Amino acid sequence: MTPRGGGGGGGGGGGGSGVEPPLFRQLLGRFATGVTVLTSRTPKGDPIGMTASSVASVSLDPPLILVSVDKTHDMHAALESGTHFVLNILSADQEALSRRFAAEEQDRFRGVSYRENDRGIVIEGVVAHIECEKRSAMAAGDHTVFLGLVVGGDVSDRRPLLYYRGGYAGLSR
C-alpha cells in the first residue's frame, strides 16, 4: 500500500535522482487517499486483485483514470495482457479486504463476495466500483501507469476507507 521508490523531485536528494525513499514515503503519507482493490484476470483467466492507492482522475472528457502498478506484482502481467480492469473503492468496514489484497496470498478471493460482468470483477459492499477499458500504459520508474477509459460503474452511500500516515482511517462525518 505504501508508495515505493524515489523520483519525487525537489530537495533532499542528490542531483536528478530525487529524494530518498524514506522521505518520499513520509511526504506522500501526509496525503490521505481512498483505498481501492484493483481487479482483473490473469493471462490464464484466473481472477486477480491487489490493493491500490495510486489512483487518480485524469480527464472528464473523455472520462479517464490512472492506476499505478509495481512491475514485479502479478497484477502487472494481467493488466499488460488484459483489456479491462475494475477499481473497487473500499468502504470503511472493508479494512480486512485491503489487507488481504495487499498481502502475498495465493487465493486472495477465497471467501470474498464478488460478482463478474463483461468488464471485470466487482467486489460486494464497496463504496463504488469503476469499470475501465485499458487505453494505454507508460513506464514510470519501478511501476507502470495504466490509463483506463471509464465505461461503467456504480455508487453506494457507504463511507469510504481512507489511508493516511501509514494507517487506515475513516470519515468522521
Side-chain angles (χ1 to χ4, degrees), residues 71-127:
K71 292 177 181 177
T72 63
H73 196 283
D74 48 359
M75 176 62 79
H76 193 270
L79 291 186
E80 277 191 315
S81 66
T83 59
H84 290 82
F85 59 88
V86 175
L87 284 162
N88 295 274
I89 302 171
L90 299 186
S91 63
D93 62 348
Q94 293 180 312
E95 180 179 332
L97 274 182
S98 174
R99 291 182 185 282
R100 169 182 266 197
F101 281 91
E104 296 288 331
E105 283 190 37
Q106 286 292 359
D107 186 7
R108 294 179 188 105
F109 284 92
R110 186 181 61 254
V112 174
S113 183
Y114 68 91
R115 68 183 190 282
E116 296 188 60
N117 63 31
D118 293 342
R119 298 182 192 121
I121 300 164
V122 178
I123 296 174
E124 299 291 341
V126 295
V127 171

Side-chain angles (χ1 to χ4, degrees), residues 21-34:
L23 177 57
F24 185 69
R25 287 186 191 101
Q26 194 175 49
L27 292 168
L28 290 186
R30 297 313 192 267
F31 181 61
T33 62

